[in-house]
Structures are given as structure tokens and as C-alpha cells.
Amino acid sequence: MTNDTMIDAEGLTKRFTVKKKTVEAVTDLSFTVSRGELVAFLGPNGAGKSTSLRMLTTLVPPSSGRARVVGHDIHREAAAVRARIGYVGQLTSGSFAQRVRDELISQGAFYGMPASAAKVRADELVESLDLTPFATRTVQQLSGGQKRRLDIALGLMHAPPLLFLDEPSTGLDPQSRSNLWQHILDLRQQHGTTVFLTTHYLEEADRYAERVMVMDRGRLIADDTAANLKAKLAGDVVTLGFASAEEAERAVGVVQGLTDREVRREGEASVTLAAPEGDALLPAAVRALDAVGLRVDRATAVPPTLDDVFLALTGRTLREAHETGGGDDEEQATENLTTENPQPTGAER
Amino acid sequence: MTTTETQSDRVVRPTPSRDTWNVFTRELRPVVRDPFTLIFSLVQPLVFLGLFAPLLIGSSGAPASETLQWFVPGVLVMIVLFGTGAVGSNLQYEMMTGSHERTLVAPLARSSLLVGRALKEIAPIVVQALLIVLIAWPFGFTIHWGGLVLGLALLAVFGVGLGSLSYSLALATKDREWLFWGVQQTLIFPLLILSGMLLPLEQGPGWMRAVSTVNPVNWVVQAERALFAGDLGSMTVLWGWLAALALAAVGLAVGIRAIRRSN
């Protein structure tokens, strides 16, 4: 572990007992994050993202495995870890009865800041997160986007070198989302803060994160840049359309001669394949088909999305995974256990 | 390994006293910003003083001053019982909205999250208690200042214990408000009646008197009566203090355990 390692996790595992059955929410999670990285933890609901984050932020102890966060052991030196990280949870960090500026100043005091420094810092954050008109309002009176910006401000109050964000943009309208992201990106640029966040928005991970860790059913199944993941695991989707089904059938054989990826029939008179550098493959395919007298009517090469990556990794799309709650009901129940809002079950009454 | 040791000199360590103060001042801020909440919380004890005390005076046949001397200390304990017994619901709300989780990630001593909160509930109660004593004064209630100060201190200790138990109940029931209130209401009324706070237990059946001897609230009420009568050195006062201290110790032990496991 070097001076620049912010997170070093080894074999982190978390088991819960749900209805007398043991469920593993996170299995054998190992990875490192270096100073200054922006890492997105991507996966469907119930994949174990939040549980992982909660272990790293000392909120839940791991069942086995260990991790050092900003140089300190999450279990033996929990207080030292807490003093060095910022955490923005899934819910609202500010107490509803408190005023915005008051809550920031209290947060500063919690982290040992002298009152005068806390006031200066609170005003600075209120200003930079566009909360100035709401500084004396109570948290309850804020809109969803304003609440979320306050959450970020609270997480940044003590200028932590490492910031954890659990689904920072969930539930926000598109404008608030991009606004929030701008704040996160500015922050990194100005202070070099390491940012580790979870999201189930593909577009966000794709657009903003330099490194994407994909999680499914409690396991880390991929870890790379979005571009590499897409190139290695998915590739551009090339589709060629013909005048008849018969022509399309013949075209499959011709195009297959140009690539080692599987070429398939699609619809009535089209063929499709997913391949890296599909934009280069497309004109080559058109020429080859022309040479044997097959005329291409329509052609597209669509760059892949992270959803294609997820499909390639798990055999299902992220959207399908959301609908089934990350696999099955038990995993869903596990994820519920890790939030502050476990669903009451019938047996409790 | 010396990774970020360079930073650690400016990094805070949990310190129970300072953290308790910080939690206390944070919790008190909304009350200071909006003191009207305090005025409304005065209404209930005034109702008991204004509407219940006359009935008690009428039925006992004793002079008003004597009845008030007996009744007012009980009303003060009642404010604490209702006030701090319900504070868990504030925490429950913060658990549901998310701010409790944020304070758990902060480098605060876990005990401070309980003690700071419970003390915040005590501060307004002291103000209420003083007001009630002053209101009862012209009607023949005698104030012994030494007893008053010790009595309020006893209430504070009792309140910290009860408040901690209320927070523990909130941490155990999580987002099930109906369960919190169900348990709270089921416990609070037997505790109230079996303390002899409103009506003397001496006329009750033997079994009630027997049960009331294990009710710590009863011991606190009796000690308050002795203190307000200026009887500072009596054994009753000692037993009241022991009951309150034991309740505080149990409440804090259970509460800190609950807060550590609250995830």
C-alpha cells in the first residue's frame, strides 16, 4: 500500500440473516483506489453496492475480510477513518428541523473545527453550492435538489480527502442531476478529492467516472475505464439492412468472414453483430458485400453503452436486473436490511 | 505504515465531553430559533395544575397549601416522564430521514449522541419546572431553594436515563412508529399511576403498593416531595437518587449498545 492508496479492500464479505437463512450481500470484494480517482460503483438495486459502501464508511462491520480507508483499518481504527472521510448517504443528511447554515456549523463542530473556521467554511460551501438564498431556511423547506446539495456540503464541511456518495443523484430531475455533477467535478478539480460513488444510472457512470466497477449479486464482476469495458466486453453494434430475407441470409456468411464475433440475422432482412471498431468494420463489410453482388440498403454502427457491457457480463440488461431486484427476493431483502428503512414483514404484526 | 499520519495531527479524535456539548448545542438550536415550541409544551402541566389540583384539594379535605406541597413535585416528575419518554420519536424521525446515519459516520463518541440529546430535553424542562413552581407559589406552595436546586438536578439525572431508554426503543423499533408508540404508551401509564404521582397509593390495594415499590419513578417522586419539603437529608432522598442514578446507568448502557448496533 503506497502513500497514495485511499482504499485498500481485501476479501470484504457481508452476510445477513434473513428469516433464518444466511444471505451474502457482498462476497469477497477486493480492490484499491488511488488518490484523486473518480470511481463509480455500478449495479442494479440489491447488487451489494450500498452494503459495500457502508462497510467502507464504518457503518456496518464486515463478516470477514479487511479494508484500510485513508490509511486506517475500518474495524480497529473506525474513529480515525471517520475523521478522514466524507459520506453522503442515500437519504437526507440534514435534520429536517434544522436550518441549513446551522446544520453546516454543527457538522464542522463534530469534526473538531473551531467555531470561527466552521462559520467561514459554511458560508463558503453555501455560496459554492448555490444555497445562499436558503441558508436560514429549515431543511424541511428545501426542494429535493437543494436538499441534495446540502447533503454534499455537509459531506465536504471538513474538506475530506476522500468522499463517498451513495446514489447522489437518485430521485433528482435531469437539470438538478447535471448541476450536482458539475459541483462534484468542480470539487475534484479544485481540491483533488478522491470520489467513490454508487449509481444505478448507466449514463452517469459512463459520462463522468474515469473508472467503473460493476457489481452484481454481491460480486465485483468488472473493473476498468468505461471505454475499455465497452471495447473489451461489448463492442459497437453494426447492423446491415437488405432488400430481402434471402439476401440477408447470404450476407451472414460474407460478413462472418471479416470478424471473429458472431454475426446474427435480425428481423426480416437484416444482419447484426457487436464488434470493437465497428465503425471501421462497417465500410469493409459494405465493400465485401458489394463485391459478391449484395447491395446494402441501410447501415448503422452504434457505439455500445454500459448496459451492453452489463448484458455481456451477466446475460441480462441492467433494466431487467432492476426489475427483479438484483436477482431474487432474498437479495432485495438484504439490501433493505442495510438501509435505515427495512420493510416491515407480515410476521411482525 | 505511515500513510496519512501527516494528516492525523489536525484530525479530530472522539472526546465524550466535547462531543456531548456539540450534540447538545446542535439539538438546542431549533428550540432557540423557534421558542414557541417551548410555550406549547407548558400547557400540559398547567392543565394538570389548574384542573386536577382543585379536584385533589376538594376530595382530600386538606388545606390547599398542603395538597400543593404534595402534588407539585409529582407534576414536575410527570413533565420529565412525558417529555423525555417521547424523545425517541425525534430520533426515529432522524433515522428515517437520514440525518442520524450522517452523525454515525462523524467522529463522535457514540455516548455523546445519546447524552447530548437527552440533556437537550432537560434544558427546557428545567425552565418549565421553575415556571410551575412560581405559579404554584401564590397558592400556598412553599419553596425551599436548596431542595429546589437538588430536586431539579435529580430530575435531570432521571431524565437522562429515561431519555436514553426512549432512544433505545427508537433504535430497536427502527421505522415502525406504531411499535414505538405502542410500547411507549403501554409502559408510561402504569409507570405514571404506580408512582403515586397523581393520587396517593396509600389507599390502593396491597398488590398495587407492592408493585409500586419496584417502580423507580415512585422513588423519584417521593424523593422530590421530600426535597421540596426541605427535608434534604432524609433516606427517601437517598433512595430517589439511587433509583435515578441506576436508571441513568441502565439507560445509557442499553442506549450506547443500541446505537453501536443500530446498523
Side-chain angles (χ1 to χ4, degrees):
Chain A
M1 179 159 168
T2 68
N3 263 10
D4 277 338
T5 307
M6 298 302 273
I7 305 175
D8 181 12
E10 230 179 85
L12 280 185
T13 299
K14 184 66 190 177
R15 284 179 286 271
F16 291 106
T17 305
V18 182
K19 291 177 197 157
K20 290 180 187 164
K21 281 174 75 182
T22 304
V23 186
E24 231 167 64
V26 176
T27 305
D28 197 22
L29 178 66
S30 301
F31 65 95
T32 59
V33 171
S34 304
R35 186 181 299 275
E37 279 194 273
L38 198 174
V39 184
F41 217 11
L42 177 73
N45 294 326
K49 307 183 301 285
S50 290
T51 307
S52 304
L53 214 64
R54 294 167 70 80
M55 285 193 277
L56 294 169
T57 53
T58 76
L59 280 168
V60 291
S63 306
S64 63
R66 43 150 232 96
R68 296 185 79 82
V69 172
V70 203
H72 294 271
D73 187 279
I74 52 168
H75 189 62
R76 284 182 294 107
E77 305 167 290
V81 172
R82 288 182 192 129
R84 291 167 173 82
I85 59 168
Y87 171 70
V88 176
Q90 272 183 29
L91 303 168
T92 306
S93 297
S95 171
F96 279 37
Q98 298 274 356
R99 291 186 183 182
V100 168
R101 191 166 174 272
D102 287 350
E103 196 66 326
L104 285 165
I105 291 168
S106 301
Q107 177 81 341
F110 288 176
Y111 286 85
M113 294 171 74
S116 54
K119 280 176 186 156
V120 171
R121 176 75 177 150
D123 289 337
E124 209 176 277
L125 285 166
V126 160
E127 167 93 45
S128 74
L129 285 157
D130 302 331
L131 289 166
T132 311
F134 319 106
T136 56
R137 292 212 191 154
T138 61
V139 174
Q140 190 149 28
Q141 293 169 313
L142 302 180
S143 73
Q146 291 158 1
K147 280 198 189 84
R148 217 56 185 134
R149 294 207 298 277
L150 172 61
D151 295 344
I152 307 265
L154 286 164
L156 292 175
M157 192 62 197
H158 56 296
L162 170 62
L163 181 66
F164 288 96
L165 301 145
D166 199 356
E167 308 210 337
S169 53
T170 298
L172 295 185
D173 59 82
Q175 202 191 335
S176 303
R177 268 171 70 183
S178 69
N179 179 288
L180 185 73
W181 268 103
Q182 202 49 55
H183 287 303
I184 296 174
L185 297 176
D186 287 350
L187 165 81
R188 274 193 75 220
Q189 201 154 31
Q190 287 163 22
H191 306 285
T193 310
T194 310
V195 180
F196 190 90
L197 60 97
T198 70
T199 180
H200 58 242
Y201 289 123
L202 291 157
E203 310 78 27
E204 281 187 1
D206 201 352
R207 196 160 152 198
Y208 301 112
E210 288 148 4
R211 177 177 162 194
V212 178
M213 292 171 53
V214 184
M215 198 164 199
D216 188 40
R217 304 186 195 219
R219 288 177 186 276
L220 183 62
I221 54 175
D223 181 357
D224 209 332
T225 64
N228 279 349
L229 285 175
K230 287 188 282 193
K232 271 193 268 177
L233 294 163
D236 303 323
V237 178
V238 176
T239 307
L240 302 159
F242 301 90
S244 70
E246 181 240 352
E247 279 177 290
E249 190 58 48
R250 279 174 56 208
V252 170
V254 178
V255 180
Q256 190 67 76
L258 302 171
T259 174
D260 52 2
R261 299 290 179 111
E262 189 203 349
V263 181
R264 291 178 290 112
R265 283 284 303 281
E266 192 188 70
E268 182 57 24
S270 296
V271 301
T272 184
L273 78 153
E277 295 176 19
D279 49 351
L281 181 70
L282 182 64
V286 173
R287 283 194 300 273
L289 289 163
D290 248 356
V292 296
L294 285 168
R295 204 173 73 103
V296 178
D297 282 355
R298 304 168 301 279
T300 55
V302 180
T305 64
L306 283 176
D307 207 14
D308 298 315
V309 171
F310 194 78
L311 178 66
L313 284 166
T314 66
R316 53 202 218 294
T317 66
L318 202 52
R319 261 166 267 282
E320 283 165 2
H322 281 313
E323 277 152 26
T324 56
D328 56 40
D329 290 347
E330 269 165 18
E331 289 193 25
Q332 189 61 45
T334 312
E335 194 69 3
N336 283 335
L337 260 186
T338 66
T339 69
E340 293 290 344
N341 288 316
Q343 298 298 309
T345 60
E348 281 160 356
R349 208 160 193 155
Chain B
M1 201 214 60
T2 55
T3 307
T4 43
E5 293 311 315
T6 45
Q7 276 186 346
S8 62
D9 47 3
R10 67 165 189 88
V11 158
V12 67
R13 284 174 200 287
T15 313
S17 56
R18 185 201 52 212
D19 295 347
T20 300
W21 173 253
N22 285 332
V23 172
F24 171 75
T25 51
R26 170 187 179 227
E27 293 287 320
L28 212 53
R29 271 197 187 108
V31 182
V32 175
R33 298 284 190 208
D34 199 358
F36 270 104
T37 53
L38 258 186
I39 291 167
F40 281 108
S41 68
L42 264 177
V43 172
Q44 194 211 24
L46 288 181
V47 165
F48 272 85
L49 205 60
L51 300 181
F52 195 84
L55 295 177
L56 209 58
I57 292 164
S59 64
S60 71
S65 62
E66 201 175 298
T67 310
L68 280 176
Q69 211 65 38
W70 181 88
F71 186 61
V72 168
V75 170
L76 300 186
V77 178
M78 190 181 71
I79 308 174
V80 177
L81 191 66
F82 280 105
T84 61
V87 294
S89 86
N90 300 342
L91 177 62
Q92 198 169 38
Y93 188 59
E94 302 224 322
M95 285 161 68
M96 286 192 277
T97 56
S99 70
H100 174 61
E101 188 181 75
R102 176 195 26 117
T103 59
L104 286 178
V105 183
L108 293 169
R110 309 286 103 167
S111 59
S112 72
L113 290 170
L114 279 180
V115 183
R117 277 199 164 87
L119 286 176
K120 170 256 171 175
E121 306 299 336
I122 297 296
I125 282 172
V126 168
V127 177
Q128 291 174 33
L130 281 172
L131 253 164
I132 283 163
V133 166
L134 288 175
I135 289 167
W137 196 13
F139 298 95
F141 181 74
T142 320
I143 301 173
H144 295 271
W145 293 102
L148 177 68
V149 171
L150 281 173
L152 291 177
L154 177 61
L155 283 181
V157 173
F158 172 66
V160 168
L162 203 65
S164 299
L165 288 174
S166 182
Y167 291 130
S168 311
L169 180 61
L171 290 161
T173 53
K174 294 195 170 145
D175 65 340
R176 288 161 292 179
E177 279 174 275
W178 57 269
L179 190 58
F180 174 84
W181 288 115
V183 174
Q184 199 259 1
Q185 297 287 309
T186 305
L187 290 175
I188 209 157
F189 283 100
L191 283 176
L192 173 80
I193 294 163
L194 291 171
S195 70
M197 199 182 284
L198 298 176
L199 293 167
L201 288 163
E202 285 79 26
Q203 282 117 47
W207 67 266
M208 270 183 96
R209 276 176 282 146
V211 177
S212 72
T213 56
V214 294
N215 180 5
V217 188
N218 182 19
W219 294 101
V220 173
V221 170
Q222 293 197 32
E224 291 291 345
R225 283 187 187 134
L227 285 168
F228 277 86
D231 194 3
L232 307 192
S234 80
M235 280 303 281
T236 320
V237 172
L238 182 67
W239 284 114
W241 272 101
L242 284 178
L245 286 168
L247 190 79
V250 170
L252 287 174
V254 171
I256 290 167
R257 198 176 137 85
I259 218 161
R260 288 218 169 103
R261 306 168 124 223
S262 64
N263 291 284

